[in-house]
Amino acid sequence: MRRHVFAAALSVLIATPALPDTAARIVTVGGALTEIVFALGQEHRLVARDSTSTHPEVVEDLPDVGYARALAAEGVLSVKPDLILATEGAGPPETMDVLRAAGVEMVIIPEIYTAEGVADKITAVGTAIEAEEAAQALREKVAQELAQAVALATANSNPPKVLFVLSAASGRIMAAGRDTAADGILQMAGAKNAMTAFPGYKPVTDEAIIQAAPDVVLMMSSRSNHAISDEEVLALPAIALTPAGQKGRIVRLDGALMLQFGPRAAKAVSDLAKLFHGVTEMPEKS
């Protein structure tokens, strides 16, 4: 269903008349979109980005208009954009309505957590900023890299069961279910999501985690001084009683790389596959 929705949205986008030449000031809301603009060689047109846009590092020199799902219209409008590129789910809706009412051109790019979704995202951005030729070349390059990475990652005949922990604040685990970026990247990296009984990211009970019996716990690496350590995760009662906890199998990867499904998706798949490789032989932590 989501693939059909994306195709419909993309067809509308492609059918839209070309943006005027004055659309030179672009705000990106979504890390993958920012990376695509850079990869297309159009970074000189960026005047601001949201807080999820952290790659390449030079992008952090641009004004930050806030978190993608908690934007303030005043902050976005203050940089006088001609075009806003935003991922599906950007908001809140009231802010997006204000931005539209202000007459700013806006293109919403659907999020689909597959290799095809990555390729279509590149095409959609290229169309929106009138860089179709460069987008086609980038699409082909990324699609080839991703196909190779997925083929290698999924060659394992005994894929590990992985619990993706979004957060474990106060010992309460928020895990990734189906239809999430985490679920999509796990499948592409040759692993099984341990939590498929529910969609989205939700708090899970100790009983559910113990019953899921994950082989590995996957978390995002964090630069925050308040991030929970591996030792603290392993000490949680629910984790301690799983194969992952008993063997000390916790792996981490940069969240922006892992979950944004942009031009670096092949690297995310390869890095995760390396982390998961041979987990049955991983030594126990003392």
Side-chain angles (χ1 to χ4, degrees):
M1 174 64 73
R2 287 179 60 81
R3 181 175 298 176
H4 296 313
V5 171
F6 186 95
L10 187 58
S11 66
V12 171
L13 174 60
I14 294 174
T16 301
L19 296 173
D21 293 337
T22 54
R25 299 178 60 82
I26 301 172
V27 171
T28 46
V29 180
L33 306 187
T34 305
E35 288 189 34
I36 292 170
V37 171
F38 268 82
L40 295 178
Q42 298 297 311
E43 64 274 15
H44 59 281
R45 297 167 66 183
L46 287 175
V47 295
R49 46 86 194 188
D50 77 306
S51 61
T52 71
S53 300
T54 58
H55 184 86
E57 287 187 9
V58 68
V59 77
E60 296 191 18
D61 294 335
L62 290 172
D64 182 345
V65 296
Y67 177 57
R69 298 179 184 274
L71 300 171
E74 296 81 2
V76 178
L77 292 174
S78 69
V79 297
K80 299 179 173 59
D82 300 312
L83 171 65
I84 299 170
L85 291 178
T87 53
E88 180 183 15
E94 306 80 52
T95 294
M96 307 307 275
D97 290 342
V98 170
L99 295 173
R100 292 188 182 94
V104 181
E105 187 76 32
M106 186 184 301
V107 175
I108 304 298
I109 309 296
E111 288 280 18
I112 297 181
Y113 307 121
T114 64
E116 184 178 357
V118 173
D120 286 345
K121 190 182 295 182
I122 292 170
T123 296
V125 172
T127 300
I129 66 174
E130 302 179 54
E132 292 91 342
E133 186 174 342
Q136 181 60 32
L138 179 63
R139 176 189 176 111
E140 292 173 0
K141 174 178 178 292
V142 171
Q144 182 178 18
E145 292 172 347
L146 196 47
Q148 292 173 346
V150 171
L152 289 173
T154 56
N156 184 2
S157 60
N158 185 30
K161 187 186 297 184
V162 179
L163 173 68
F164 180 88
V165 175
L166 183 65
S167 68
S170 302
R172 191 179 190 190
I173 293 178
M174 177 83 71
R178 63 181 185 275
D179 301 327
T180 59
D183 182 61
I185 202 70
L186 284 175
Q187 293 183 48
M188 293 168 69
K192 294 179 180 178
N193 186 358
M195 292 289 170
T196 57
F198 58 86
Y201 298 92
K202 295 182 179 180
V204 289
T205 65
D206 288 1
E207 291 77 11
I209 293 171
I210 294 168
Q211 184 175 6
D215 301 304
V216 182
V217 171
L218 172 62
M219 300 182 70
M220 294 184 288
S221 55
S222 174
R223 291 176 287 184
S224 170
N225 293 329
H226 302 289
I228 187 169
S229 68
D230 288 1
E231 290 72 23
E232 290 173 300
V233 175
L234 292 171
L236 295 175
I239 298 297
L241 294 174
T242 66
Q246 293 165 4
K247 299 292 184 180
R249 297 170 181 161
I250 297 180
V251 297
R252 296 179 185 257
L253 191 64
D254 175 64
L257 170 65
M258 181 168 45
L259 302 178
Q260 290 183 352
F261 283 74
R264 297 184 295 154
K267 175 174 172 52
V269 169
S270 296
D271 286 359
L272 281 176
K274 290 174 184 176
L275 290 172
F276 297 152
H277 179 69
V279 294
T280 54
E281 287 79 37
M282 290 175 66
E284 296 186 26
K285 292 188 177 180
S286 57

